[in-house]
Amino acid sequence: MYYLIKSCLEECTFEDLHNNDYQYVAVLTPEEWKKEQSSFDMGIEMDISIENIHTTKAEVNYDSLTGTFSIPSRRDITGEDYKYAFALDEKGIVFIDQSGVVNRMVKRIARSKKWRVPCLERFMYDFFELIIDRDLSILENYEKELDKIEDEILDDAIEADLERVNEIRGDIRDLRMHYDQMIDLGQEFEENENNFFKTENTRYFRLFIDRMSRLHEMANSVRDYTVQIRDLYHTQMDIKQNRIMTLLTVVTTIFMPLTLIAGWYGMNFRYMPELESRWGYPIVILISAAIIVVSLWFFRKKKWL
């Protein structure tokens, strides 16, 4: 697919691409790039292997700026990334993509964007923005999920979904790495080493870097929240275990004198006077009950119950 950057992206033919004064956007498959890369006259021989793309980065060449994108799917952040490459000079940009995701993004920009001052820099800004379009709501939803899990932990730590906290933490880890790489990419564009961009238009890249920095800070905040949730979970479990141990200690303490009484009168020596007493049995019952009542009163006074 080929587009000219006018007041909006305007689809064109391959011939129109090279016979106009407008900057362009091209989206090619790796096979199409191999056939047509010489016609773009970027002075590079870039053999694209989608499988070998692992990071988002940009590299400055003598006559071009090249790089790759490795973008986490927002539906499954820890899953397989979307991977594509690009080559850029002052005339336009070529995306090399096998998945079709770039085509969908560029078509969306063509449908929804109109520019007062059309330029490659503004297109790149809108393209970068489209990559992170849903991220703010994703991070906000993670915070809401963590709030709910925190309430569950405070109610009953055993019932809380700590596994979900671990999943969110894994997603945030991958997003933070992605944001770091996107910030580096934006800085490479802003540096404008080959003067492919107009100086006054590099402000678009600064705007994008600022937004990425805010998302990065928010991701850090959510990551810290997951750590706090995990600590709260372990604290609540310790409190629960301490309560159980306290209860067991109280029960053991109450029954220790009762066990002593039972053992004492279980000896059944022949000349034990209480064995022949008519009131021996009820007296032992009263003494045992009194021990229980006094023990419970003492523990409650000490706030151990």
Side-chain angles (χ1 to χ4, degrees):
M1 302 293 291
Y2 307 101
Y3 300 86
L4 296 176
I5 302 176
K6 298 184 179 181
S7 59
C8 60
L9 282 184
E10 184 178 295
E11 193 170 346
C12 66
T13 65
F14 179 75
E15 290 73 21
D16 292 336
L17 205 68
H18 299 288
N19 296 324
N20 270 283
D21 294 330
Y22 295 103
Q23 293 176 304
Y24 62 81
V25 177
V27 184
L28 308 177
T29 64
E31 293 75 20
E32 290 171 336
W33 169 250
K34 287 180 182 178
K35 294 178 183 177
E36 300 178 8
Q37 62 177 310
S38 59
S39 65
F40 290 97
D41 194 26
M42 291 186 179
I44 56 171
E45 290 291 334
M46 188 168 64
D47 187 18
I48 299 300
S49 176
I50 301 298
E51 292 76 15
N52 293 331
I53 295 176
H54 302 293
T55 60
T56 299
K57 63 179 182 179
E59 296 179 357
V60 178
N61 305 299
Y62 180 76
D63 286 329
S64 63
L65 184 66
T66 61
T68 57
F69 288 90
S70 183
I71 309 298
S73 167
R74 288 347 188 229
R75 295 180 180 177
D76 183 12
I77 294 175
T78 56
E80 188 68 25
D81 289 357
Y82 295 119
K83 299 178 179 181
Y84 44 92
F86 71 90
L88 174 152
D89 63 11
E90 72 279 2
K91 299 186 293 295
I93 184 169
V94 182
F95 291 103
I96 302 96
D97 174 40
Q98 189 70 55
S99 66
V101 64
V102 175
N103 234 332
R104 293 193 294 271
M105 293 171 68
V106 173
K107 285 182 178 179
R108 183 174 169 183
I109 293 173
R111 289 194 307 268
S112 61
K113 299 293 182 180
K114 295 192 73 173
W115 305 301
R116 288 184 179 275
V117 184
C119 59
L120 180 61
E121 298 89 332
R122 180 56 200 263
F123 165 79
M124 291 305 303
Y125 173 79
D126 288 332
F127 185 82
F128 291 155
E129 286 284 295
L130 203 53
I131 291 175
I132 59 172
D133 182 50
R134 297 171 50 203
D135 287 25
L136 182 60
S137 62
I138 288 173
L139 293 173
E140 288 175 345
N141 288 335
Y142 282 155
E143 283 193 340
K144 291 177 181 177
E145 277 194 76
L146 292 172
D147 285 339
K148 183 178 178 181
I149 294 172
E150 183 178 21
D151 291 339
E152 291 175 354
I153 291 174
L154 292 173
D155 290 339
D156 186 355
I158 295 177
E159 297 297 325
D161 188 4
L162 195 63
E163 185 62 32
R164 180 56 183 157
V165 177
N166 293 332
E167 291 175 1
I168 292 175
R169 188 176 183 183
D171 288 351
I172 294 299
R173 179 195 62 235
D174 288 355
L175 282 176
R176 288 178 66 249
M177 292 175 58
H178 168 55
Y179 294 156
D180 283 333
Q181 293 171 12
M182 289 296 291
I183 289 172
D184 290 342
L185 181 73
Q187 289 172 341
E188 197 69 63
F189 275 69
E190 186 188 26
E191 184 69 23
N192 195 21
E193 183 175 333
N194 286 352
N195 294 316
F196 291 150
F197 309 120
K198 294 180 180 178
T199 303
E200 63 270 20
N201 290 339
T202 56
R203 62 189 176 90
Y204 291 119
F205 304 130
R206 169 47 51 190
L207 288 173
F208 174 72
I209 292 170
D210 290 342
R211 183 173 178 186
M212 289 303 310
S213 297
R214 290 192 295 273
L215 285 173
H216 193 277
E217 290 175 4
M218 190 171 181
N220 283 337
S221 176
V222 176
R223 181 201 59 181
D224 293 341
Y225 197 6
T226 62
V227 174
Q228 293 172 13
I229 293 290
R230 288 165 60 89
D231 291 343
L232 176 63
Y233 173 82
H234 292 302
T235 299
Q236 290 298 108
M237 290 300 294
D238 289 341
I239 292 173
K240 191 176 185 67
Q241 290 176 355
N242 288 339
R243 286 174 179 169
I244 293 172
M245 293 302 297
T246 299
L247 181 61
L248 292 175
T249 301
V250 167
V251 171
T252 301
T253 304
I254 290 173
F255 278 90
M256 280 178 62
L258 301 181
T259 303
L260 175 63
I261 293 173
W264 185 272
Y265 287 101
M267 293 186 291
N268 293 325
F269 289 121
R270 181 176 180 181
Y271 297 105
M272 288 181 70
E274 292 84 354
L275 293 178
E276 302 296 332
S277 173
R278 177 181 297 181
W279 303 103
Y281 182 65
I283 289 173
V284 171
I285 292 177
L286 290 174
I287 292 173
S288 299
I291 290 173
I292 293 173
V293 171
V294 171
S295 297
L296 291 174
W297 171 81
F298 177 77
F299 291 135
R300 187 169 292 279
K301 183 179 180 181
K302 293 294 186 180
K303 297 183 180 180
W304 295 344
L305 281 177

